[in-house]
């Protein structure tokens, strides 16, 4: 963390975000701006003319935008907020270093705001964080707690004409809800009143590294809310209680012994929703729950949000009622539309094995062929979890389904590009799946339109690229 940096004066400093339009940077910039800070930034997408509506909104709402050429860094008082992946040769970073500006990561700034809140809820795990963050925020807003929410995805409940990019909600700074990231180890910076652990599975780090990070996360949480259907999470939760005498609330769809559980035989899955009767085994209380998002994984997400709400003093009935009005998140099983020939296009953030599996299982729970497009979000992640991704697509999809992948996202830099999508396609085929590698996204879109037939569901999957939604929309337009 910035050496000698005065955290107490954090919100008195002007901020400059390198990559201000990013899914993690934008909501933090919004929160700081909402607290009265002077916020400026640059972005490669802004320079390249991508997602212009986002940058037009930023500029018209008091965020000063600059080319990513160092020209926006003009004073030693500015705090540069930049990913650790931003190399010193990037003009903004080079200029900040030359002037002697403080440089902090997104997580460092966020954790400072989070840790000084009087009541804080952190959501961790390798999948489901954004959805559960949105769910918890929706519950707390519904009961008039007026939370500040930091999310990595646009929360549809909080979209307005004034803020169409609602990946953050500006509320009381002393009540703070945020997803926290294990992929870069920054989860260790947070000290939550309530720490939610959704699952532990392979993503950007090895399981041993994840066990250490999530175990420490629960150890510093005032109360842990833990998924007892996930064996790794359950073991960490039980260990945190036995070692640190911490409070814990467990939740589970399948494990009937969890504190927040599901009444046997009550689950009903629809194409676009899921419902069940939720049981609080501590208070011997039950309540009907209707979640307007499909899939058992979203039922589990809802139980996690209910568990966190209960830990924060919100009753079961009020929590369930609030979730019945949950509108979901952009790019989380987001139905873009259905063509006149009954072909549905879905936009989804799935990018690791667990997220992709959850989405594909939800699709396969109802009738119809699936065409799954996947854009790898980097060469490094593809090397880390490529084999598991290939296994996921081969196992979750049937013989009639088709997987189509383009080349990984690459915006420059020194990353090793020796292993690409071709290896993953080969692994999918060796595991019995049907998969095709088409290098460019545009050609993938043409192929999808050519092969789609009535009743198909087309899912567009990938992370860290806002233009994927536009791509999904273009596929739907091609089908019309």
């Amino acid at each position: 963390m910035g050496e000698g940096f005065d955290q107490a004066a954090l919100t008195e400093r002007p901020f400059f975000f390198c990559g201000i339009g990013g899914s993690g940077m934008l909501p933090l910039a919004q929160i700081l701006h909402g607290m009265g800070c002077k916020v400026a930034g640059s972005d490669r997408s802004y320079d390249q003319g991508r997602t212009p509506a986002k940058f037009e909104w930023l500029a018209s709402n008091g965020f000063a935008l600059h080319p990513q050429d160092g020209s926006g860094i003009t004073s030693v008082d500015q705090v540069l907020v930049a990913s650790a992946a931003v190399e010193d040769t990037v003009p903004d970073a080079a200029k900040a270093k030359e002037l002697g500006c403080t440089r902090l990561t997104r997580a460092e700034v966020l954790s400072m705001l989070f840790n000084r809140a009087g009541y804080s809820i952190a959501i961790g795990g390798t999948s489901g964080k954004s959805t559960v963050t949105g769910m918890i925020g929706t519950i707390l807003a519904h009961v008039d707690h007026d939370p500040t929410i930091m999310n990595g995805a646009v929360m549809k409940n909080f979209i307005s004409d004034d803020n169409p990019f609602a990946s953050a909600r500006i509320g009381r700074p002393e009540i703070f809800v945020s997803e926290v990231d294990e992929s870069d180890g920054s989860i260790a910076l947070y000290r939550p009143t309530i720490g939610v652990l959704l699952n532990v599975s392979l993503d950007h780090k090895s399981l041993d590294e994840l066990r250490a990070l999530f175990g420490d996360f629960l150890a510093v949480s005032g109360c842990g809310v833990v998924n007892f259907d996930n064996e790794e999470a359950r073991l960490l939760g039980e260990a945190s209680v036995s070692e640190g005498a911490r409070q814990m609330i467990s939740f589970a769809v399948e494990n009937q012994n969890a504190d927040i559980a599901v009444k046997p035989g009550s689950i009903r899955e629809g194409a676009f929703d899921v419902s069940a009767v939720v049981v609080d085994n501590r208070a011997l209380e039950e309540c009907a729950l209707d979640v307007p998002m499909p899939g058992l994984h979203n039922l589990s997400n809802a139980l996690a949000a209910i568990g966190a709400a209960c830990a924060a003093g919100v009753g079961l009935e009020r929590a369930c009622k609030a979730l019945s009005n949950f509108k979901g998140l952009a790019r989380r099983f987001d139905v873009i539309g259905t063509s006149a020939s009954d072909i549905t296009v879905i936009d989804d953030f799935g990018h690791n094995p667990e997220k992709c599996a959850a989405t594909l299982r939800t699709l396969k729970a109802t009738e119809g062929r699936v065409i799954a497009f996947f854009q790898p979000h980097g060469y490094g992640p593809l090397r880390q979890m490529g084999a598991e991704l290939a296994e996921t697509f081969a196992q979750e999809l049937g013989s009639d389904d088709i997987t189509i992948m383009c080349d990984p996202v690459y915006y420059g830099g020194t990353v090793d590009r020796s292993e690409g999508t071709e290896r993953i396609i080969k692994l999918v085929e060796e595991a019995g799946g049907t998969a095709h590698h088409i290098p460019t996204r545009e050609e993938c879109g043409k192929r999808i339109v050519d092969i789609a037939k009535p009743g198909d569901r087309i899912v567009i999957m990938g992370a860290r690229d806002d233009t994927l939604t536009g791509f999904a929309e273009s596929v739907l337009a091609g089908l019309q």
Side-chain angles (χ1 to χ4, degrees):
M1 198 168 290
E3 193 171 333
F5 183 73
D6 182 5
Q7 293 191 34
L10 177 69
T11 52
E12 298 172 14
R13 301 283 292 274
F15 288 84
F16 189 93
F17 282 74
C18 183
I20 193 169
S23 60
M25 293 292 196
L26 178 59
L28 181 58
Q30 288 178 303
I31 289 171
L32 286 168
H33 189 262
M35 291 178 171
C37 296
K38 185 177 180 181
V39 180
S42 67
D43 200 288
R44 273 185 299 206
S45 292
Y46 174 64
D47 294 347
Q48 296 165 3
R50 293 188 291 144
T51 59
K54 179 193 296 182
F55 296 107
E56 288 168 6
W57 179 84
L58 282 167
S60 64
N61 281 273
F63 297 83
L65 299 180
H66 300 270
Q68 203 166 84
D69 60 5
S71 61
I73 310 289
T74 58
S75 167
V76 69
D77 292 332
Q78 286 174 289
V79 176
L80 175 67
V81 184
S83 162
V86 172
E87 298 167 354
D88 287 342
T89 53
V90 172
D92 288 340
K95 187 65 177 293
K97 188 174 183 179
E98 177 190 326
L99 292 178
C101 298
T102 298
R103 174 172 171 169
L104 299 172
T105 65
R106 179 196 66 84
E108 286 173 339
V109 177
L110 174 60
S111 64
M112 290 179 196
L113 297 173
F114 182 91
N115 290 338
R116 71 187 194 181
Y119 205 92
S120 56
I121 303 177
I123 298 87
T126 40
S127 55
K129 294 188 290 291
S130 296
T131 298
V132 175
T133 299
M135 286 177 166
I136 293 172
T138 297
I139 293 171
L140 295 184
H142 178 79
V143 298
D144 297 324
H145 283 5
D146 192 23
T148 289
I149 310 168
M150 166 78 188
N151 207 332
V154 172
M155 299 173 284
K156 294 183 179 180
N157 284 77
F158 303 116
I159 289 176
S160 65
D161 291 339
D162 292 335
N163 185 10
F165 304 100
S167 49
R169 180 186 189 274
I170 317 302
R172 295 164 61 192
E174 63 268 25
I175 300 180
F176 210 117
V177 181
S178 180
E179 62 173 311
V180 293
D181 192 6
E182 80 291 339
S183 66
D184 59 359
S186 63
I187 190 173
L189 299 173
Y190 300 87
R191 300 291 180 269
T193 308
I194 300 169
V196 182
L197 179 55
L198 302 174
N199 37 58
V200 182
S201 62
L202 189 67
D203 195 341
H204 297 83
K205 293 185 178 295
S206 69
L207 278 176
D208 285 341
E209 290 174 299
L210 292 173
R211 289 175 188 127
L213 284 168
F214 288 129
D216 291 344
F217 169 67
L218 289 178
V220 299
S221 299
C223 176
V225 178
V226 181
N227 183 3
F228 267 33
D229 281 336
N230 182 267
E231 184 72 2
E232 293 281 355
R234 181 184 65 79
L235 292 172
L236 290 174
E238 290 174 343
S240 74
V241 172
S242 62
E243 293 172 10
R246 297 280 172 180
Q247 289 184 296
M248 182 178 67
I249 295 176
S250 57
F251 67 91
V253 173
E254 297 176 2
N255 189 326
Q256 295 299 311
N257 295 319
D259 297 319
I260 306 297
V262 172
K263 188 174 183 177
S266 69
I267 297 174
R268 297 289 180 270
E269 286 194 78
F272 301 108
D273 65 342
V274 63
S275 64
V277 174
V278 179
V279 179
D280 185 338
N281 284 316
R282 303 164 306 158
L284 301 179
E285 189 180 354
E286 62 180 49
C287 185
L289 170 69
D290 295 295
V291 184
M293 294 179 74
L296 292 178
H297 64 293
N298 278 317
L299 177 57
S300 179
N301 288 337
L303 297 184
I306 291 167
C310 289
V314 179
L316 179 66
E317 186 174 349
R318 296 183 81 191
C320 290
K321 183 178 179 181
L323 288 180
S324 68
N325 296 311
F326 183 61
K327 297 177 182 177
L329 304 172
R331 302 219 63 236
R332 295 332 188 255
F333 208 93
D334 194 357
V335 178
I336 299 297
T338 301
S339 73
S341 55
D342 192 32
I343 302 170
T344 300
V345 179
I346 297 157
D347 189 20
D348 191 76
F349 193 70
H351 64 280
N352 66 29
E354 187 159 340
K355 285 186 174 74
C356 291
T359 296
L360 297 175
R361 280 179 202 145
T362 299
L363 287 164
K364 294 304 294 180
T366 52
E367 291 296 319
R369 184 176 71 158
V370 173
I371 301 174
F373 167 81
F374 181 74
Q375 176 179 280
H377 61 288
Y379 284 87
L382 205 58
R383 277 195 306 278
Q384 172 76 15
M385 53 185 168
E388 289 78 10
L389 274 169
E391 186 178 354
T392 296
F393 281 93
Q395 288 187 351
E396 300 298 338
L397 295 179
S399 57
D400 292 337
D401 303 319
I402 300 170
T403 299
I404 296 176
M405 295 188 188
C406 64
D407 287 336
V409 171
Y410 176 66
Y411 293 128
T414 57
V415 66
D416 178 5
R417 292 186 287 156
S418 59
E419 286 190 8
T421 303
E422 299 92 336
R423 166 177 166 258
I424 310 306
I425 295 297
K426 183 179 178 183
L427 290 172
V428 173
E429 292 174 338
E430 288 175 352
T434 301
H436 306 288
H437 170 230
I438 303 173
T440 70
R441 197 167 75 181
E442 291 70 27
E443 288 302 317
C444 287
K446 292 176 183 176
R447 176 73 64 85
I448 291 168
V449 170
D450 286 345
I451 65 175
K453 57 188 181 183
D456 283 352
R457 280 82 48 76
I458 298 167
V459 59
I460 305 300
M461 307 173 80
R464 297 180 186 170
D465 185 352
D466 290 345
T467 65
L468 280 166
T469 298
F471 174 65
E473 291 168 346
S474 72
V475 169
L476 179 63
L479 294 169
Q480 307 287 24

